[in-house]
Amino acid sequence: MADPARARKIADRIKEVIAANLEQVIKDPDLGFVTITDVRVTGDLQHASVFYTVFGDEDQRETTARVLATHQGRLRSLVGRQLGIRLTPTLELIPDALPETASQLNEALRAAKERDAQLAAGRAGARPAGDADPYKKPRDADHAGTDEG
């Protein structure tokens, strides 16, 4: 088991290497606009999960995923040359769900904002159900000394 700090450093280095050299290694016109979002390396440094996003529609994402899978070995060779460690980790290229998650969050925030606006509109002419000031107040000072009863 490798040191977790070393695994993080290797993951960061793999991310930099792939992001900087992706278009030079894969000279395919079908490759979309790819962003490497994260890399996670296992504790034994044998496997690296590379997360990426693709700018474009669903067809562009599928085409890019196919192109990346085809050139996965070339990317691993590049990583091995650049890292200079004894064993090059296997690469698993995983499409990141970040855009879909962000879209869902934006939709939830929009719905919450609409609901807040509806509540504010309903609150505009509302009055309290009981007294205007429902809190008990201490007795007046002039009644404090008298014994009524």
Side-chain angles (χ1 to χ4, degrees):
M1 192 85 155
D3 180 29
R6 182 167 187 241
R8 275 194 311 275
K9 286 179 187 176
I10 289 175
D12 288 342
R13 184 69 181 130
I14 290 172
K15 181 179 176 182
E16 291 172 9
V17 167
I18 292 176
N21 299 301
L22 187 64
E23 290 181 356
Q24 287 78 21
V25 172
I26 303 175
K27 296 178 181 171
D28 192 327
D30 291 335
L31 181 68
F33 184 74
V34 178
T35 303
I36 306 299
T37 56
D38 193 19
V39 175
R40 295 183 189 146
V41 177
T42 58
D44 60 359
L45 306 178
Q46 296 294 313
H47 183 76
S49 299
V50 180
F51 295 90
Y52 68 92
T53 59
V54 179
F55 182 74
D57 59 358
E58 189 61 35
D59 291 337
Q60 184 65 46
R61 288 187 200 119
E62 290 173 9
T63 304
T64 300
R66 200 170 51 253
V67 169
L68 288 173
T70 303
H71 293 66
Q72 191 168 351
R74 294 182 72 192
L75 289 172
R76 184 173 183 226
S77 296
L78 170 73
V79 168
R81 283 192 310 269
Q82 296 289 323
L83 258 56
I85 58 177
R86 186 170 59 94
L87 295 172
T88 302
T90 59
L91 299 180
E92 180 183 9
L93 300 167
I94 303 170
D96 200 348
L98 185 69
E100 290 82 17
T101 304
S103 171
Q104 291 171 352
L105 285 175
N106 283 339
E107 179 62 28
L109 289 172
R110 186 195 57 74
K113 188 175 182 180
E114 285 179 6
R115 182 71 180 137
D116 286 348
Q118 290 173 354
L119 290 173
R123 211 174 31 233
R127 294 183 313 147
D131 295 333
D133 189 8
Y135 299 105
K136 291 184 179 180
K137 295 184 176 72
R139 294 184 180 187
D140 294 332
D142 57 316
H143 290 98
T146 63
D147 189 11
E148 297 178 37

